[in-house]
Amino acid sequence: MLSHDNIWSAIDTLADRNQLTPSGLARKAGLDPTSFNKSKRVGPDGRQRWPSTESVSKVLDATGATIDQFFGYALGHASKNTLPDGNFPPQTGAIPLLGFAQAGSGGFFDDGGFPAGQGWDVVDFPASPANKAGVYALEVQGDSMMPLYRDGDMLIVEPGAQVRRGDRVVVKSKDGEVMAKVLARQTAKTIELFSLNPEHPNRSFDLADVEWVARIIWASQ
């Protein structure tokens, strides 16, 4: 049975086999370069977004692939690992891993907070959290998240997931600061965050100053 992940995996495979990034594939097909970004695959409300049949048709024309090849990729008849640009396919037990201190540097995430670029490690994880597309791990470094999370713990993060008050989240500001907090309140203009460590202050931001917010769905402790 074809799934949301299968279809997007097939598009990623076509990009890979044509030595293109997903953005490069979209551009080659005459589409908006952001059409196939990880951030476009899940809506702000957490609902899955599917590529249109017109987009798939244009991709097939641009690459010379047949519809049978496309569905073969979608059904897992063609396998691949990490893409040349560092983007990651849907996980089946191994997920991208990054140190928390490095997460604020540029080049590790796309504009939706999904893992991208070079420099990621990989860690094996149980299928339950790992089988969600785009899920990645951040390794806690230091004691700023004590007593909830200790140095060396791994936070499993799901970008694109709907977040609610009380959720533990990772937030990246537009000035490159990355932090793990508890979502206290979010309005159309602002976001308020409780600190995990009582020795660190709570934070609030204008949403215009926030690059992305992703939900922490699991932690190894």
Side-chain angles (χ1 to χ4, degrees):
M1 181 178 178
L2 292 175
S3 70
H4 176 265
D5 288 349
N6 293 153
I7 295 297
W8 282 113
S9 182
I11 288 176
D12 287 341
T13 300
L14 280 174
D16 184 22
R17 287 177 174 264
N18 286 272
Q19 298 183 320
L20 296 167
T21 65
S23 294
L25 178 62
R27 190 178 295 108
K28 183 179 178 70
L31 302 168
D32 185 295
T34 67
S35 297
F36 300 153
N37 283 6
K38 302 288 187 184
S39 58
K40 295 294 183 70
R41 304 180 185 188
V42 180
D45 59 358
R47 293 183 181 180
Q48 295 175 336
R49 288 177 173 171
W50 296 67
S52 68
T53 53
E54 181 182 7
S55 294
V56 172
S57 177
K58 288 183 176 180
V59 164
L60 296 180
D61 287 342
T63 60
T66 67
I67 190 67
D68 286 342
Q69 288 174 321
F70 180 83
F71 284 122
Y73 299 148
L75 293 171
H77 296 164
S79 63
K80 62 185 179 69
N81 294 314
T82 305
L83 303 184
D85 66 348
N87 287 328
F88 295 88
Q91 292 85 27
T92 57
I95 61 176
L97 169 68
L98 188 68
F100 215 101
Q102 289 74 48
S105 304
F108 289 110
F109 300 95
D110 67 13
D111 58 2
F114 287 80
Q118 304 294 334
W120 289 81
D121 219 334
V122 175
V123 63
D124 287 327
F125 246 85
S128 180
N131 62 10
K132 297 175 180 288
V135 165
Y136 60 90
L138 290 178
E139 184 177 5
V140 174
Q141 296 167 323
D143 60 1
S144 64
M145 302 177 207
M146 290 283 287
L148 192 58
Y149 301 129
R150 303 182 301 273
D151 185 68
D153 288 345
M154 281 185 284
L155 309 183
I156 310 305
V157 182
E158 183 183 2
Q162 185 176 4
V163 295
R164 300 179 178 86
R165 180 181 296 185
D167 284 347
R168 298 169 187 172
V169 296
V170 175
V171 177
K172 183 176 181 182
S173 67
K174 289 192 175 177
D175 63 7
E177 186 179 6
V178 177
M179 65 205 81
K181 303 285 185 182
V182 176
L183 179 62
R185 183 169 178 265
Q186 182 173 339
T187 70
K189 294 184 177 180
T190 63
I191 184 170
E192 298 176 10
L193 306 166
F194 288 139
S195 178
L196 298 171
N197 187 330
E199 295 183 3
H200 289 252
N202 298 330
R203 303 289 298 274
S204 63
F205 293 91
D206 290 337
L207 281 180
D209 296 326
V210 173
E211 189 164 326
W212 49 258
V213 179
R215 185 158 61 94
I216 298 171
I217 61 171
W218 206 78
S220 70
Q221 296 176 293

